[in-house]
């Protein structure tokens, strides 16, 4: 994989062209110049402090990949499992070693899920399947064991294909197992109204297949669950119609749509065989036992105190249902490398102006209880010792994945298109554009998070803090294999680890030196929120 960094003059011209082409606030940001022009807070530090900052090391690709390997070795790192507990303890230990002034593990309740004894038979033949994650539960906080028993669920199968909502108006599915195609709903092209800036010198975004390939985490599953259960369905067979040939699709728990009926995934290829068998015998026998427990979600937090209570929060998440190399061992490696960098600055005598908080969330797959608890305790709680002035979230440093002609996953030697959701003031947008170009973050867009904030959040781990009004920079990519057991070390875009790290260092430096009231877009709250 070759890189084609733009010469500075060309880079500046590309920035102006693209910023003006997208219009709106970024056109203004492009006229403001580089971030050094933006704020009186950019006063030079004393020589000693500047030297200490310059001397603080940044992790190498090899060092960060060792972190990724450590976490993959603990997988699965699901909330409430031994691997999840080990991952939280590992992050806490690394934060202490990085020189944090204070480290603790924030705890809250989440709910684990485990399937066993699962099988699906049609016309006397076994169907290759995998249980739908978090199916056959008692409700949002329901715990205990549910089972279809040794005899299983024996019921007629109704095939609704790819348009179940319309079919349900005409077909009675009460007491039946419903077969339905799962659809991935949001290709990259669907985000085009939010795009403020694109850096794509090698055309890794602007090709038809990339633009039209949807991500695997915004899907038809939640509304399909709601519709089938309301219609009285007894079970669900989900066809992974937009996926490569794998049934190991580890979906999240959708907290607004708890799935109380049993469900199983089959591949597109296996669905052809299944439909052929159903023409011979339109019934199926489904067996499944699930166990759901209340467990502890663990969020390690490390603090580097500045001269202000105003706090810049840097986060990812450490939990996973599979190997979780891209999601999100890469993000954790970045958070820890940044903690080590700023810890080394403090050891050399250069404390930040604002307090810096480094953390990795738990419960990403089991309901986001850690995220909501954090907002309640540290963002919206007036007694919080930290005034969260900005959030920086780092997720998914990934190779591009696509479905090959044979239906198998292909990993390409290209960067999976990625975006920074942000809701910064124009000076912050200009800083981000300059940083993206300076570090040649290829296949990268900036996405307007302010519009999504009004709609209730963004599809990243930063959604809850952004929705609470915190100025946010949130990096995300959505490779198609993200929820699969094929999210392993081979999927990591290793060559991007250092450029991404350097860019986030520059983001944090700007957030640290910029007055809190000038980071986000002006609001009455932001203008008044100037307390130290």
């Amino acid at each position: 994989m070759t890189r084609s960094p733009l010469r500075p003059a060309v880079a500046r011209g590309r920035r102006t062209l693209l910023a003006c082409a997208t219009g709106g606030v970024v056109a203004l940001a492009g006229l403001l110049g580089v971030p050094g022009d933006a704020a009186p807070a950019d006063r030079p530090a004393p020589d000693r402090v500047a030297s200490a900052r310059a001397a603080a090391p940044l992790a190498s690709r090899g060092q960060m990949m060792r972190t990724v390997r450590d976490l993959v070795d603990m997988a699965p790192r699901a909330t409430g499992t031994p691997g999840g507990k080990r991952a939280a303890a590992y992050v806490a230990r690394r934060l202490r070693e990085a020189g944090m002034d204070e480290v603790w593990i924030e705890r809250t309740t989440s709910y684990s899920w485990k399937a066993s004894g699962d099988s699906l038979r049609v016309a006397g033949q076994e169907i290759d399947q995998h249980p739908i994650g978090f199916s056959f539960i008692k409700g949002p906080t329901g715990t205990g064991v549910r089972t279809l028993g040794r005899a299983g669920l024996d019921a007629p199968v109704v095939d609704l294909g790819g348009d179940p909502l319309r079919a349900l108006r005409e077909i009675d599915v009460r007491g039946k197992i419903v077969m339905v195609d799962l659809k991935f709903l949001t290709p990259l092209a669907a985000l085009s109204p939010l795009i403020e800036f694109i850096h794509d010198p090698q055309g890794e975004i602007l090709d038809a297949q990339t633009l039209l390939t949807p991500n695997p985490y915004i899907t038809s599953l939640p509304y399909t669950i709601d519709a089938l259960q309301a219609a009285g369905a007894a079970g669900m067979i989900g066809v992974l119609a937009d996926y490569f040939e794998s049934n190991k699709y580890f979906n999240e728990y959708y907290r607004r749509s708890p799935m109380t009926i049993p469900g199983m995934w089959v591949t597109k290829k296996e669905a052809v065989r299944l439909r052929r068998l159903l023409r011979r015998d339109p019934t199926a026998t489904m067996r499944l036992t699930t166990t759901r427990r209340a467990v502890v979600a663990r969020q390690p937090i490390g603090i580097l105190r500045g001269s202000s209570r105003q706090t810049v929060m840097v986060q990812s998440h450490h939990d996973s249902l599979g190997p979780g190399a891209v999601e999100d061992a890469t993000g954790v490696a970045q958070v820890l490398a940044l903690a080590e960098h700023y810890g080394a600055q403090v050891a050399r005598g250069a404390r930040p102006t604002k307090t810096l908080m480094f953390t990795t969330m738990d419960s990403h797959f089991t309901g986001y209880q850690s995220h909501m608890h954090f907002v309640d305790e540290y963002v919206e709680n007036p007694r919080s010792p930290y005034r969260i002035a900005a959030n920086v979230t780092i997720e998914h440093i990934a190779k591009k994945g696509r479905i090959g002609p044979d239906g198998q996953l292909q990993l390409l030697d290209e960067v999976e298109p990625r975006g920074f959701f942000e809701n910064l003031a124009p000076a912050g947008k200009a800083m981000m554009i300059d940083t993206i170009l300076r570090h040649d973050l290829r296949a990268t867009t900036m996405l307007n998070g302010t519009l999504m904030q009004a709609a209730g959040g963004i599809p990243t781990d930063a959604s809850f803090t952004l929705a609470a009004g915190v100025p946010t920079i949130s990096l995300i990519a959505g490779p198609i294999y993200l929820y699969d057991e094929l999210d392993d070390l081979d999927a990591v875009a290793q060559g991007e680890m250092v450029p991404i790290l350097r860019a986030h260092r520059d983001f944090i430096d700007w957030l640290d030196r910029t007055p809190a009231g000038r980071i986000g877009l002006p609001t009455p709250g932001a203008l008044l929120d100037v307390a130290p």
Side-chain angles (χ1 to χ4, degrees), residues 102-125:
E102 184 180 5
V103 175
W104 73 96
I105 293 180
E106 194 77 14
R107 290 170 168 83
T108 192
T109 299
S110 187
Y111 299 90
S112 68
W113 179 90
K114 184 178 180 180
S116 60
D118 51 286
S119 68
L120 180 65
R121 292 184 66 84
V122 172
Q125 296 192 33

Side-chain angles (χ1 to χ4, degrees), residues 64-133:
M64 286 186 281
M65 285 306 300
R66 280 194 288 276
T67 300
V68 173
R69 290 187 184 93
D70 286 347
L71 290 163
V72 169
D73 286 345
M74 300 174 197
R77 305 183 299 273
T79 303
T81 66
K85 186 175 181 179
R86 284 179 61 202
Y90 172 86
V91 173
R93 175 177 63 78
R94 289 283 301 275
L95 290 172
R96 293 185 186 97
E97 292 171 352
M100 299 294 103
D101 296 312
E102 184 180 5
V103 175
W104 73 96
I105 293 180
E106 194 77 14
R107 290 170 168 83
T108 192
T109 299
S110 187
Y111 299 90
S112 68
W113 179 90
K114 184 178 180 180
S116 60
D118 51 286
S119 68
L120 180 65
R121 292 184 66 84
V122 172
Q125 296 192 33
E126 199 76 22
I127 303 300
D128 186 18
Q129 55 75 36
H130 190 269
I132 296 177

Side-chain angles (χ1 to χ4, degrees), residues 27-271:
L28 174 61
L31 299 175
L32 291 175
V34 298
D37 303 334
D42 294 344
R43 292 186 293 270
D47 289 345
R48 180 181 61 81
V49 175
S51 297
R53 287 177 175 160
L58 274 172
S60 68
R61 177 201 304 189
Q63 289 169 321
M64 286 186 281
M65 285 306 300
R66 280 194 288 276
T67 300
V68 173
R69 290 187 184 93
D70 286 347
L71 290 163
V72 169
D73 286 345
M74 300 174 197
R77 305 183 299 273
T79 303
T81 66
K85 186 175 181 179
R86 284 179 61 202
Y90 172 86
V91 173
R93 175 177 63 78
R94 289 283 301 275
L95 290 172
R96 293 185 186 97
E97 292 171 352
M100 299 294 103
D101 296 312
E102 184 180 5
V103 175
W104 73 96
I105 293 180
E106 194 77 14
R107 290 170 168 83
T108 192
T109 299
S110 187
Y111 299 90
S112 68
W113 179 90
K114 184 178 180 180
S116 60
D118 51 286
S119 68
L120 180 65
R121 292 184 66 84
V122 172
Q125 296 192 33
E126 199 76 22
I127 303 300
D128 186 18
Q129 55 75 36
H130 190 269
I132 296 177
F134 307 98
S135 64
F136 205 32
I137 63 174
K138 296 178 180 179
T141 58
T143 59
V145 177
R146 296 194 73 190
T147 184
L148 295 174
R150 295 179 63 181
L153 168 65
D154 192 68
V157 177
V158 177
D159 188 355
L160 301 186
D163 193 2
L165 298 190
R166 185 164 63 179
L168 282 172
R169 300 187 197 120
E170 304 171 359
I171 299 174
D172 183 1
V173 299
R174 287 175 294 180
K176 299 172 184 175
I177 298 171
V178 178
M179 187 170 175
V180 59
D181 293 350
L182 177 77
K183 305 302 289 184
F184 296 165
L185 301 177
T186 310
L188 188 60
L191 298 176
S192 57
L194 303 176
I195 293 176
E196 301 172 312
F197 175 78
I198 301 174
H199 179 51
D200 190 29
Q202 297 184 13
E204 293 167 284
I205 297 176
L206 299 175
D207 73 83
Q209 184 167 359
T210 298
L211 286 171
L212 297 176
T213 298
N215 70 63
Y217 47 82
I218 301 177
T219 78
S220 60
L221 182 57
Y223 69 73
T224 300
I225 292 170
D226 293 342
L228 294 186
Q229 292 179 169
M236 171 180 161
I237 300 171
V239 180
L240 295 167
D242 293 338
Y243 210 42
F244 52 91
E245 278 299 310
S246 169
N247 59 25
K248 303 299 190 295
Y249 174 67
F250 303 134
N251 56 281
E252 297 182 15
Y253 167 64
Y254 295 98
R255 66 187 187 282
R256 297 186 182 92
S257 300
M259 188 171 180
T260 57
I261 60 175
M264 294 176 175
W265 294 125
V266 297
T267 67
K268 187 162 49 176
K269 183 177 179 180
E270 186 70 355

Side-chain angles (χ1 to χ4, degrees), residues 416-445:
E416 178 70 29
R418 56 207 173 188
F420 287 101
F421 282 96
E422 57 79 26
N423 60 342
L424 301 187
K429 297 177 190 294
M431 174 275 299
M432 289 187 65
I433 291 170
D434 182 80
T435 302
I436 289 167
L437 291 170
R438 233 174 338 101
H439 296 293
D440 190 28
L441 302 188
R442 300 175 297 114
T444 297
T445 61

